[in-house]
Amino acid sequence: MDNMLEVKNLKMHFPNGTTGIIGGKKKYIYAVDGVSFSIRKGETLGLVGESGCGKSTVARAVAQLYKPTAGEVLLDGKDITKMSKKELLKYRKDMQVVFQDPYSSLDPRMTTGAIISEPLRIYRRRGIISMTDREIDSRVEHLMELVGLSRFFKNRYPHEFSGGQRQRIGIARALALRPRIILADEPVSALDVSIQSQILNLFKDIQKAEGLSYLFIAHDLAVIRYISDRIAVMYLGKIVEIADYATLYSNPMHPYTKALLSAAPIPDPEIELKRKRIILSGDVPAPDRQRPGCYFYDRCPNRMDCCKEKQPVLKHCGADGEDHTVACFLYK
């Protein structure tokens, strides 16, 4: 299966002052520090990790909303990080974002129809697409019906909708330009559980109908398991394990992945009473410095001397033909 998107050694370092008043050394927040992954055509890659590990920063750097400090983002084999704004505009049509908060990601002064049609009008003005006003209106009505909203609501404002309905508007806006990949940044975390399932099923239905690929970011392990084909586990700005969802949940290999999965409750009292919870010591370190060894060293129950001196890299660790990689010295 061909890779639609490839991310290679992506880094996003934010300036964080200096060490002194005059002539001090610059300090940085190392939010993303060497992340690599790929997404295939029609696939959903789930990106999971605890809050503050850099998941949303990865999505924004991939979409070029942040200019990456280093690394490559290859869309159909072309590195979009080195493109001019004019070149990038054409490629952005194929890659759209659904943001986390449906209450702040929609302009309260614009009607639903104006919000969904805005990408189409911008790209028409730039001469990239050619559509009449009637065709744009027809596309907006089609998208509203596709995401489960009545087309008669297109003159309503965001405050007249519920949270789930607002997220549907955000999804319709992302679909307006017929993208091939959508970066969904925790799109259901602000919604009630009953509404979450509706939005997740909507994502699946649209993917099947349109042949889309997703980078789906979440910290809810049940959501990630339901929506993803493969899952990447992130810790402190680095990816520590990647596998298909069935393999990851049945045979996690990185100590952090094991601890993360053990924290998720199981809706079966008998199993819940018997299973062991892995309690990690300490807190997640601040991402304000780079470490010579494994970033998980201080909290790892299986740490070794070599872990403190060298950084592990992602290596194949599954059975033959199994797409399972882990960054850990426990596996040779």
Side-chain angles (χ1 to χ4, degrees):
M1 194 180 291
D2 296 332
N3 290 329
M4 178 175 290
L5 179 75
E6 287 185 79
V7 176
K8 297 182 178 180
N9 199 31
L10 185 69
K11 296 182 180 181
M12 191 68 239
H13 302 164
F14 295 100
N16 189 36
T18 59
T19 55
I21 298 174
I22 299 174
K25 186 179 178 182
K26 286 185 178 180
K27 296 190 294 183
Y28 292 92
I29 295 295
Y30 300 94
V32 177
D33 199 26
V35 162
S36 300
F37 60 85
S38 62
I39 302 177
R40 301 157 185 161
K41 292 180 180 177
E43 179 189 46
T44 299
L45 176 70
L47 185 58
V48 67
E50 53 198 310
S51 296
C53 70
K55 304 185 300 296
S56 296
T57 306
V58 166
R60 289 171 181 266
V62 167
Q64 302 301 290
L65 298 178
Y66 295 150
K67 191 66 177 174
T69 305
E72 297 177 314
V73 179
L74 305 176
L75 186 60
D76 287 336
K78 295 185 178 179
D79 187 2
I80 64 176
T81 65
K82 294 179 174 62
M83 291 182 178
S84 65
K85 288 184 179 180
K86 190 174 182 180
E87 289 177 305
L88 183 59
L89 192 66
K90 295 179 181 179
Y91 276 84
R92 273 208 172 121
K93 188 168 71 69
D94 292 328
M95 186 193 300
Q96 293 292 300
V97 183
V98 176
F99 295 97
Q100 177 177 357
D101 186 0
Y103 293 89
S104 63
S105 61
L106 304 179
D107 190 332
R109 299 166 297 178
M110 296 173 68
T111 64
T112 300
I115 289 169
I116 299 172
S117 67
E118 186 179 27
L120 297 168
R121 298 187 188 280
I122 289 173
Y123 273 77
R124 181 179 68 174
R125 193 162 61 243
R126 299 292 179 90
I128 297 174
I129 63 172
S130 177
M131 295 180 75
T132 65
D133 286 341
R134 180 171 291 182
E135 287 172 335
I136 289 176
D137 288 342
S138 177
R139 175 72 177 155
V140 168
E141 291 179 359
H142 167 71
L143 288 168
M144 291 187 70
E145 299 284 356
L146 182 66
V147 299
L149 294 172
S150 170
R151 58 189 175 91
F152 298 109
F153 292 169
K154 68 179 182 179
N155 291 320
R156 291 189 178 183
Y157 289 87
H159 73 270
E160 299 179 80
F161 294 95
S162 68
Q165 289 174 320
R166 292 187 200 198
Q167 197 60 288
R168 290 172 188 268
I169 295 169
I171 294 169
R173 177 178 60 186
L175 292 170
L177 292 166
R178 293 185 171 90
R180 294 186 298 142
I181 183 167
I182 286 181
L183 312 177
D185 182 13
E186 304 210 31
V188 298
S189 64
L191 306 177
D192 293 337
V193 174
S194 58
I195 305 300
Q196 284 184 9
S197 61
Q198 295 176 19
I199 299 298
L200 291 173
N201 287 329
L202 174 62
F203 271 108
K204 282 199 161 190
D205 292 342
I206 291 172
Q207 183 177 44
K208 190 174 181 181
E210 305 286 334
L212 291 170
S213 300
Y214 293 139
L215 173 63
F216 200 98
I217 295 169
H219 58 261
D220 188 321
L221 293 167
V223 167
I224 283 289
R225 182 172 189 169
Y226 180 72
I227 197 75
S228 303
D229 298 307
R230 288 187 303 136
I231 299 172
V233 181
M234 195 167 177
Y235 181 80
L236 204 62
K238 290 185 176 290
I239 288 179
V240 297
E241 189 167 2
I242 303 177
D244 66 84
Y245 78 93
T247 301
L248 191 84
Y249 279 79
S250 63
N251 185 31
M253 301 194 80
H254 196 280
Y256 175 67
T257 308
K258 292 177 181 179
L260 196 66
L261 293 178
S262 80
I266 295 175
D268 185 323
E270 292 185 7
I271 297 177
E272 188 69 23
L273 284 171
K274 292 177 183 177
R275 76 184 186 122
K276 280 189 176 182
R277 171 90 185 271
I278 301 173
I279 307 296
L280 296 175
S281 60
D283 297 319
V284 181
D288 58 354
R289 64 184 179 90
Q290 291 176 306
R291 294 158 176 80
C294 177
Y295 280 26
F296 190 57
Y297 177 83
D298 292 334
R299 306 178 72 198
C300 182
N302 307 113
R303 59 180 175 259
M304 302 177 289
D305 290 341
C306 60
C307 303
K308 194 173 185 179
E309 300 165 0
K310 297 179 183 178
Q311 283 192 8
V313 296
L314 284 169
K315 290 186 177 180
H316 182 269
C317 65
D320 291 341
E322 193 175 80
D323 189 8
H324 192 172
T325 56
V326 64
C328 185
F329 291 122
L330 290 172
Y331 310 100
K332 302 295 184 184

